[in-house]
């Protein structure tokens, strides 16, 4: 797995509502910082990243975000895909 780097654009997976009124979607996010305290798990990056998330409604800052490259659960980040 490629190491995330500061300034990289990744995807942040938004939380959807339980009833599905709002689906969980990908948002563009900029990597502001990278922690490396945890060993890799499979092909998933170790540690957390701190993100600046770009929503259509505005930006927010999120610390200690875990990668979830395959299931893309809400509140995680993953590498950009087409
Ligand atoms: Zn995505």
């Amino acid at each position: 797995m490629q190491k995330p780097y500061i300034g990289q654009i990744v995807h942040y997976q938004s939380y959807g509502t339980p009833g599905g009124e709002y689906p969980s979607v990908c948002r563009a996010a900029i990597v502001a910082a990278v922690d490396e305290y945890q060993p890799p798990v499979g092909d998933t990056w170790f540690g957390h990243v701190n993100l600046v998330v770009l929503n259509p409604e505005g930006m927010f800052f999120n610390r200690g975000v875990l990668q979830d490259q395959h299931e893309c659960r809400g509140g995680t980040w993953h590498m950009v895909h087409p």
Side-chain angles (χ1 to χ4, degrees), residues 28-62:
I30 301 168
V31 176
V34 178
D35 296 330
E36 304 185 20
Y37 65 86
Q38 189 179 329
V41 178
D43 63 351
T44 296
W45 175 245
F46 46 93
H48 299 112
V49 301
N50 294 349
L51 298 178
V52 181
V53 180
L54 308 175
N55 286 294
E57 300 81 10
M59 296 194 305
F60 74 92
F61 304 90
N62 202 340

Side-chain angles (χ1 to χ4, degrees), residues 10-13 25-27 72 78-82:
V10 298
H11 280 182
Y12 173 79
Q13 193 76 29
V25 295
C26 296
R27 297 299 188 203
C72 300
H78 54 270
M79 295 292 181
V80 171
H81 53 82

